[in-house]
Amino acid sequence: MARDEVRIYRSRKPLKTALAVIFSVLAALVVIAAGIFFGFKKYIVYTSEGVKLEVPWLEEPEAQPPRVPEAAQ
């Protein structure tokens, strides 16, 4: 051996790690989307105008007429 050479093994581990992280995030998003879809399925209402999502806690309260005190009448 005429020269002492140092060989460095460069693995593809960073690429595999990045792909694993990306795949995990995508899998989590798919699970969350499926949960939202099946969770809100009971709030979907089909009308002649199309499909509506009627969620009870997002609905605006109906406007009520202002109350007039009886003494002012």
Side-chain angles (χ1 to χ4, degrees):
M1 291 189 161
R3 296 175 16 190
D4 290 326
E5 293 183 24
V6 177
R7 293 186 180 210
I8 299 174
Y9 175 71
R10 296 183 186 186
S11 68
R12 295 185 186 187
K13 187 167 180 147
L15 178 62
K16 287 182 181 179
T17 304
L19 289 176
V21 168
I22 290 171
F23 178 73
S24 299
V25 169
L26 287 175
L29 289 175
V30 167
V31 169
I32 290 170
I36 289 172
F37 175 76
F38 288 111
F40 283 97
K41 200 172 182 181
K42 59 185 171 184
Y43 300 114
I44 295 175
V45 177
Y46 298 99
T47 64
S48 60
E49 298 173 359
V51 179
K52 291 176 28 178
L53 183 65
E54 292 187 1
V55 183
W57 60 87
L58 293 179
E59 291 181 4
E60 295 180 11
E62 294 180 12
Q64 297 178 353
R67 300 180 81 185
V68 178
E70 291 182 23
Q73 291 180 354

